[in-house]
Amino acid sequence: MEALDRAGIRRAVVLSDAYYFGTARGRPLSDEAGQVRAENDWTAAQVGEFPERLVAFCSFNPLKDYAMAELDRCASSGRFRGLKLHFGGAQLDFDDAEQVAKVRRVMEAANRLRLPMIIHVRSSGKWGREHAEIFLHQLVAAAPDVPITVAHLWGGENYSESALAYFADAVSAGHRATKNLYFDVAECWLFGGPREREAMVRRMRQIGLGRILYGSDAGKAEPRESWAAFAQKMPLTDGELRAIAGNVAPYLRGR
């Protein structure tokens, strides 16, 4: 909590890392579903100590057989405000229609349960426009009533201009699936040089700064330090930085 105070952050989302238990590690885990439940419950318990400052998002691998049961359990507990999905951890193959359908069912259920989502969308080294298009048309479109945040601006890890360009074009064109679509900037300044960061900023402006949310990816740096790095590295004006700093995610408003 002291780190949030030092950064001037009043409210924050804490993301469960339970999906890690469902990643492909080359060895089976004993009672994987039980470990996922325990990690989600631990996150909720920690967040519950600071109900005025923090909200929790549960997590799991959406391709697993226990995914729907864990989603229902988390939602019915009343301790989670939303859902964190990590397609890289799940190793989602966007070219596999059956896998995409499994994720779609999870996102449809999250929409029905009114659970916002934060998603690390990039699932592999292959991440570009064609995958961003599947994500928007087949997955985001399945959850039209809840906010969905694309983590790391374009989806995560190595910069993908084509994926970010597709998202920005879709938002600026008023594509209906983008109605509740947001983008966080966690660690985006780490990828590429000045040319790439200039391209990122152009696309952020095209998207509209009102949809851009700060994210720290805490654990690697304090929020204050990560914000300072973002402000220093990204060619944004002081006014634009103030605008982003003042944005509040929909699921934190009114608290």
Side-chain angles (χ1 to χ4, degrees), residues 134-185:
I134 293 171
F135 173 67
L136 186 66
H137 286 269
Q138 299 189 40
L139 299 179
V140 176
D145 304 314
V146 296
I148 294 176
T149 301
V150 175
H152 310 289
L153 193 57
W154 55 87
E157 299 159 5
N158 293 337
Y159 177 54
S160 174
E161 166 62 20
S162 65
L164 182 56
Y166 178 76
F167 288 139
D169 289 344
V171 172
S172 62
H175 192 296
R176 64 180 183 178
T178 68
K179 177 184 176 182
N180 293 312
L181 196 61
Y182 294 82
F183 302 80
D184 79 37
V185 295

Side-chain angles (χ1 to χ4, degrees), residues 110 202 208 224:
R202 285 197 301 272
R224 182 177 63 176

Side-chain angles (χ1 to χ4, degrees), residues 5-95:
D5 291 339
R6 285 191 289 271
I9 296 174
R10 193 154 55 93
R11 297 187 297 273
V13 179
V14 178
L15 306 176
S16 170
D17 284 338
Y19 68 87
Y20 273 120
F21 293 106
T23 59
R25 301 181 177 186
R27 61 182 179 84
L29 293 177
S30 175
D31 189 19
E32 179 181 304
Q35 294 190 58
V36 169
R37 289 193 298 271
E39 182 68 16
N40 281 328
D41 288 347
W42 180 85
T43 301
Q46 300 305 304
V47 167
E49 296 183 11
F50 305 96
E52 300 303 316
R53 299 286 301 273
L54 304 177
V55 300
F57 275 37
C58 71
S59 181
F60 49 80
N61 182 335
L63 299 179
K64 295 290 186 171
D65 291 340
Y66 55 76
M68 295 297 289
E70 182 61 8
L71 176 61
D72 288 339
R73 191 187 74 89
C74 288
S76 63
S77 74
R79 299 194 294 170
F80 297 95
R81 182 62 66 89
L83 173 63
K84 163 65 182 290
L85 297 176
H86 196 297
F87 293 164
Q91 294 190 326
L92 170 64
D93 183 353
F94 276 93
D95 297 321

Side-chain angles (χ1 to χ4, degrees), residues 191-232:
F191 299 95
R195 187 195 69 80
E196 288 78 13
R197 290 193 286 270
E198 288 174 2
M200 293 176 202
V201 168
R202 285 197 301 272
R203 294 302 183 180
M204 289 165 62
R205 290 168 177 155
Q206 182 183 356
I207 289 167
L209 297 182
R211 294 177 184 253
I212 306 299
L213 303 173
Y214 168 70
S216 69
D217 214 348
K220 300 177 182 178
E222 279 203 7
R224 182 177 63 176
E225 295 169 351
S226 67
W227 174 259
F230 172 75
Q232 178 185 13

